[in-house]
Amino acid sequence: MKLYDAGWAPSPRRVRIFLAEKRIEVPRVAVDLRRNEQLGAEYLAINPRGTVPALVLDDGEVVTESHAICRFLEALHPEPALFGTRPIEVARIEEWTRRVEESGYVAAVEAFRNSHPAFEGRALPGAAGAVPQIPALAERAQLRWASFVATLDERLADGEWIAGATFSFADIMALTTIDFAARARLAIPHEAEHLRRWYDRAAARPSAQA
């Protein structure tokens, strides 16, 4: 297998943290997003969407979504289980992963892509072509973000991790979302003490440096 990776992007980082938690080694190929290598003919032949990460399997098949890549790797390496083992654990982790993605991550992407000068005319990722920025989406992202952090703060008032008693993929999703959101000037408010406590604990894990 071979993982096409990019250093600062949030989706590849999810996979790297997952690999570190699992202690799995997968050969990696760096894709330079600043030079738009993801839009070059060589990479588009691997992933026509022009997004990272992409996992090329031994038989040549390509898996391109970070969630799907991690699911595939968990099926190969079940321990430690980051997607749960009991049915209720699996459901809970999936629920909170989706909630983090649909509220927090979408807010971060909308704010970043619709306000950062580097993405003028490129408001959608990958090979979507010329897409203008919509400032109103960046403004709405502020409201979406506020709801996201309030929900997580409430959730973590009585728990150590987002989806249960153990660290899971939902925590990986939230950690990479929060760190990416900082680039769009979306932060954890001071009053969200439970979320701040969780963040300090999650960011202190060795895998967070992956």
Side-chain angles (χ1 to χ4, degrees), residues 1 27 41 99 117 122 129 136-137 146 155 164 171 195:
M1 292 189 293
R99 292 183 71 172
R122 297 175 53 212
L137 290 179
R155 170 69 177 174
D171 297 289
L195 181 55

Side-chain angles (χ1 to χ4, degrees), residues 1-4 42-66 68-69 72:
M1 292 189 293
K2 187 181 297 182
L3 178 68
Y4 285 80
E42 182 177 350
Y43 185 71
L44 289 176
I46 296 166
N47 178 12
R49 293 183 62 220
T51 58
V52 286
L55 180 68
V56 180
L57 308 184
D58 294 340
D59 64 1
E61 186 169 352
V62 181
V63 184
T64 62
E65 295 293 333
S66 62
I69 290 170
F72 173 79

